[in-house]
Amino acid sequence: MTALQTPRSPAHTGARARRRARSATEPVAYDFRRPIQLSREHTRLLQVSFDGFARQMATVFTSALRTVCTAQLRGVAQQTYAEHVDSLDAMTYAVKVSIDPLPGVALLDLPLPVVMGAIDQMLGGPGSVNQPERPLTDIESAVVRGVVTRLLGELAYSVASVVDVTPGVVGIEYNPQLAQAAAPSDAVIVASFDLTIKERTHPVTFCMPFAGLHPVLAKAAAPAPVSEREREQRTRSAQLVDRRFQDVPVDAVVRFRPTRLGPDALTHLAVGDVLRLSHRASDPLDVVVGDATFAQATAGSHGARLAALVVGTASTKENA
């Protein structure tokens, strides 16, 4: 296949610059008008699934191109569909994918240089850097269709632990603005990958509609049902811990309520001075453990030792 070099359009250059800027590790402002609904547990489930898809993606390209390829998951994030589309190149190879039984359409974006280079190699060419930027011919589409079909099969296998889907190609778009896989304001889940072919790294993305995926994620993240035996074991363990806590020694302090003094009074204190406390003689003392006051007591003695008689607890104080 003859490789032709075509000039890059300003829109293409601008889109690539925007993508580089967004991929930089910089703080991202949080928009309180659009709270993130993707929890940490859901993100972890998706990361595990898409990490497996990244490994399978490398295997598919390695076997198809007969050269060592690697793929790595860069991250999983929630975005609006408009934000995702704006981050793509102006000219790309966007595969619209049905994800039955989930509603909506997903979008697998492969950079056009990756697709053109793959076709070049599979047809016996060198797969050079300079590749034409144009829509594929019918023959080229038939050549790359096998790779896309294998990728979607590996995708279904990778996400099977979260949801069973049957991906299928709905259509191909070269301008991502015309893909219309979702409304611009719709929330989508975007998995970003780094695909390396011949020491050249290319960004690959896969986005799914969040509305249909969220119930599935909530169900997958729910704790597994507990058997009767496990429930009994947990109850016995809780009772044992509670009994052991009853025997743990703690330091209890009986003290007067605090008295506030100014710096003047403190600096002139001398031996024999008498301070007037804020604690009234009729008020009970506080029984304190740590910083928590849990009872009141009156001062007294027990034989030759000082003692305190508990006259109320925190619960009785609240009810009073």
Side-chain angles (χ1 to χ4, degrees):
M1 186 178 69
T2 303
L4 300 177
Q5 174 68 31
T6 57
R8 296 178 182 271
S9 64
H12 177 91
T13 304
R16 186 177 294 275
R18 288 195 301 271
R19 189 182 66 241
R20 285 200 302 266
R22 294 191 179 197
S23 63
T25 56
E26 297 179 355
V28 178
Y30 184 83
D31 188 357
F32 287 92
R33 296 171 299 180
R34 191 188 61 205
I36 301 299
Q37 301 176 4
L38 190 63
S39 67
R40 184 176 301 177
E41 292 79 8
H42 297 169
T43 302
R44 179 59 182 162
L45 283 174
L46 292 174
Q47 285 175 340
V48 172
S49 298
F50 285 123
D51 192 56
F53 177 56
R55 292 192 295 269
Q56 296 305 113
M57 183 192 303
T59 302
V60 169
F61 277 97
T62 297
S63 61
L65 306 184
R66 290 179 171 81
T67 185
V68 177
C69 304
T70 60
Q72 185 176 6
L73 176 67
R74 193 164 66 239
V76 178
Q78 176 184 333
Q79 297 178 334
T80 64
Y81 182 69
E83 290 173 340
H84 173 59
V85 169
D86 288 343
S87 68
L88 304 179
D89 289 338
M91 188 82 173
T92 187
Y93 188 81
V95 184
K96 297 169 66 176
V97 181
S98 62
I99 46 176
D100 296 333
L102 296 181
V105 177
L107 194 68
L108 174 64
D109 179 76
L110 300 171
L112 200 55
V114 171
V115 177
M116 285 295 189
I119 294 172
D120 191 7
Q121 283 188 255
M122 286 189 288
L123 294 179
S128 58
V129 178
N130 299 326
Q131 295 292 335
E133 295 188 11
R134 55 167 175 77
L136 272 62
T137 64
D138 292 341
I139 296 178
E140 292 169 342
S141 298
V143 171
V144 79
R145 187 177 297 124
V147 176
V148 174
T149 302
R150 288 184 60 189
L151 282 176
L152 296 183
E154 298 298 344
L155 174 67
Y157 175 78
S158 300
V159 302
S161 59
V162 178
V163 57
D164 289 325
V165 294
T166 307
V169 178
V170 176
I172 305 294
E173 289 290 347
Y174 298 96
N175 185 346
Q177 301 290 342
L178 302 179
Q180 296 181 351
S185 60
D186 286 353
V188 294
I189 302 301
V190 180
S192 305
F193 306 89
D194 285 330
L195 175 63
T196 303
I197 303 175
K198 289 186 175 181
E199 299 182 353
R200 296 193 299 271
T201 301
H202 309 272
V204 175
T205 60
F206 180 75
C207 87
M208 303 174 66
F210 181 71
L213 189 61
H214 183 260
V216 176
L217 289 174
K219 183 178 180 180
V226 181
S227 65
E228 188 64 31
R229 181 180 178 183
E230 291 176 340
R231 190 177 293 108
E232 292 177 357
Q233 289 178 342
R234 292 182 181 181
T235 302
R236 286 196 299 270
S237 300
Q239 292 173 349
L240 179 61
V241 171
D242 184 65
R243 285 198 302 268
R244 291 294 177 89
F245 267 115
Q246 303 298 326
D247 300 329
V248 175
V250 294
D251 293 329
V253 178
V254 179
R255 69 186 183 188
F256 295 99
R257 291 171 190 168
T259 300
R260 298 176 64 89
L261 295 175
D264 230 14
L266 291 175
T267 54
H268 292 87
L269 279 178
V271 178
D273 288 349
V274 177
L275 294 177
R276 184 181 180 86
L277 301 182
S278 300
H279 193 103
R280 294 182 300 179
S282 60
D283 289 344
L285 304 177
D286 290 334
V287 182
V288 181
V289 174
D291 293 329
T293 300
F294 68 93
Q296 286 78 43
T298 58
S301 62
H302 183 73
R305 295 184 177 183
L306 293 176
L309 175 64
V310 176
V311 295
T313 61
S315 59
T316 57
K317 183 178 178 182
E318 292 174 359
N319 296 331

